[in-house]
């Protein structure tokens, strides 16, 4: 089964940034905790200063690492990910902020290792490419991500999404892989035409933007629909009833719904 075949199934739940209510988000531990609890996993990727693809959501390291406690990095405020080399990023702890009394630490997760984990465990992954247009050219970002997917030979298990839609259009010219456009505050004008021009397979939107008419229109036009971030079981049922294919959740794992 490939990712598009998976999306043909109803009422799918994606573990948002891994099982992030059980382990620190976007770490290998969070991916491991997702097994058996979700239909697929969602994580975020961006590049280090020296163009290594790593798994990280925020533009800065402040919230989910110990970077502010390391005196040697004081000169790098506001701690943008793109200002740190891969070796510098590897020196940080990505877990103690999550655990009580800072009892545990977690290492940096690379895109390569995340993809190998997905492949070795026969899982499915929604990979969100963060908007890095302020630090890297679009082609460098896309080519770096595609190289990792090709090297690990797992394109059949991946859905790529992004708020930077230029990435998605470019990816379709380089790799046969499903893609989804992410939006937050408003729909693009002439939505169906816009999505067809991008060549995407799906559309992922903020829960506050969802309405039954739009979902029906998108589904009838052949697009899959995903909604983020849904942490209410009642709301998830409402969304599935109007035709939403999948939701992203921090807590609604399959053994809890």
């Amino acid at each position: 089964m490939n990712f598009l075949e998976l999306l043909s199934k109803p009422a799918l739940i994606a573990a948002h940034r891994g099982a992030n209510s059980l382990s620190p988000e976007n770490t290998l531990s969070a991916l491991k905790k997702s097994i058996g609890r979700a239909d697929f996993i969602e994580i975020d990727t961006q590049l280090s200063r020296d163009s290594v693809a790593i798994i990280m959501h925020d533009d800065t390291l402040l919230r989910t690492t110990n970077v502010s406690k390391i005196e040697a990095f004081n000169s790098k405020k506001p701690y943008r990910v793109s200002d740190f080399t891969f070796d510098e990023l590897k020196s940080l702890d990505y877990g103690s902020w999550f655990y009580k009394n800072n009892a545990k630490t977690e290492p940096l997760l690379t895109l390569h290792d995340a993809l190998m984990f997905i492949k070795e465990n026969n899982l499915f992954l929604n990979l969100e490419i963060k908007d890095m247009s302020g630090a890297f050219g679009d082609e460098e970002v896309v080519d770096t991500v595609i190289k990792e997917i090709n090297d690990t030979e797992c394109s059949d298990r991946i859905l790529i999404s992004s708020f930077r839609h230029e990435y998605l259009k470019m990816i379709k010219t380089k790799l046969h892989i499903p893609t989804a456009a992410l939006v937050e505050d408003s729909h693009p004008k002439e939505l169906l035409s816009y999505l067809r021009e991008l060549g995407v397979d799906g559309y992922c939107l903020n829960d506050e933007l969802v309405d039954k008419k739009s979902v029906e229109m998108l589904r009838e036009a052949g697009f899959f629909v995903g909604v983020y971030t849904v942490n209410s079981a009642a709301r998830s049922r409402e969304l599935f009833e109007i035709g939403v294919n999948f939701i992203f959740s921090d807590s609604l794992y399959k053994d809890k719904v």
Side-chain angles (χ1 to χ4, degrees):
M1 181 169 61
N2 60 37
F3 208 114
L4 287 178
E5 291 170 336
L6 172 68
L7 290 179
S8 67
K9 296 184 176 183
L12 299 174
I13 296 175
H16 188 227
R17 306 179 197 171
N20 75 75
S21 64
L22 304 177
S23 288
E25 64 181 62
N26 281 327
T27 63
L28 183 59
S29 176
L31 268 62
K32 289 178 178 178
K33 290 286 181 65
S34 302
I35 296 178
R37 290 185 165 96
D39 297 291
F40 62 96
I41 302 168
E42 185 269 352
I43 57 175
D44 310 275
T45 191
Q46 52 186 300
L47 305 186
S48 66
R49 192 179 76 191
D50 44 350
S51 299
V52 177
I54 58 102
I55 305 304
M56 184 78 180
H57 176 270
D58 294 5
D59 295 334
T60 73
L61 296 159
L62 192 59
R63 181 176 64 89
T64 58
T65 79
N66 64 333
V67 68
S68 64
K69 298 178 181 178
I70 300 178
E71 186 175 349
F73 292 148
N74 284 349
S75 62
K76 289 182 173 288
K77 294 179 181 178
Y79 307 119
R80 287 186 294 266
V81 175
S82 59
D83 289 337
F84 285 71
T85 66
F86 178 55
D87 284 343
E88 289 171 334
L89 291 172
K90 284 196 299 182
S91 72
L92 299 175
D93 157 42
Y94 295 78
S96 60
W97 66 274
F98 178 90
Y99 298 112
K100 291 181 179 179
N101 303 318
N102 298 332
K104 290 178 65 178
T105 63
E106 296 286 348
L108 173 69
L109 179 60
T110 64
L111 176 57
H112 178 84
D113 287 347
L115 294 175
M116 287 302 300
F117 178 82
I118 294 298
K119 182 179 180 180
E120 290 166 359
N121 289 278
N122 296 317
L123 303 173
F124 292 91
L125 179 71
N126 175 195
L127 180 66
E128 178 185 338
I129 305 176
K130 304 302 292 185
D131 184 349
M132 293 170 276
S133 56
F136 301 95
D138 290 352
E139 191 154 11
E140 180 178 2
V141 172
V142 167
D143 286 349
T144 301
V145 171
I146 286 178
K147 183 179 186 304
E148 295 290 2
I149 293 172
N150 284 336
D151 286 351
T152 52
E153 299 181 336
C154 62
S155 60
D156 58 331
R157 297 190 165 272
I158 308 297
L159 167 70
I160 294 181
S161 62
S162 185
F163 284 100
R164 183 160 178 79
H165 299 164
E166 290 86 348
Y167 295 157
L168 304 176
K169 191 170 184 178
M170 188 177 293
I171 283 166
K172 283 294 191 179
T173 69
K174 296 172 178 283
L175 186 65
H176 182 66
I177 195 168
T179 57
L182 279 163
V183 297
E184 183 172 11
D185 298 320
S186 61
H187 298 293
K189 294 181 179 179
E190 302 295 333
L191 178 58
L192 295 183
S193 296
Y194 180 80
L195 296 178
R196 290 181 181 123
E197 174 64 20
L198 287 178
V200 296
D201 304 275
Y203 187 61
C204 300
L205 64 163
N206 190 331
D207 189 17
E208 297 178 1
L209 200 57
V210 181
D211 63 81
K212 183 178 180 181
K213 183 179 179 180
S214 295
V215 172
E216 289 177 346
M217 176 185 72
L218 287 158
R219 293 299 309 280
E220 288 174 5
F223 295 102
F224 296 105
V225 179
V227 178
Y228 67 92
T229 304
V230 183
N231 293 321
S232 160
R235 179 57 175 160
S236 71
R237 288 190 290 269
E238 290 174 358
L239 292 169
F240 291 141
E241 286 173 2
I242 66 172
V244 168
N245 297 93
F246 54 94
I247 62 166
F248 301 91
S249 183
D250 300 315
S251 56
L252 296 179
Y253 307 126
K254 292 175 67 178
D255 57 350
K256 295 183 179 181
V257 173

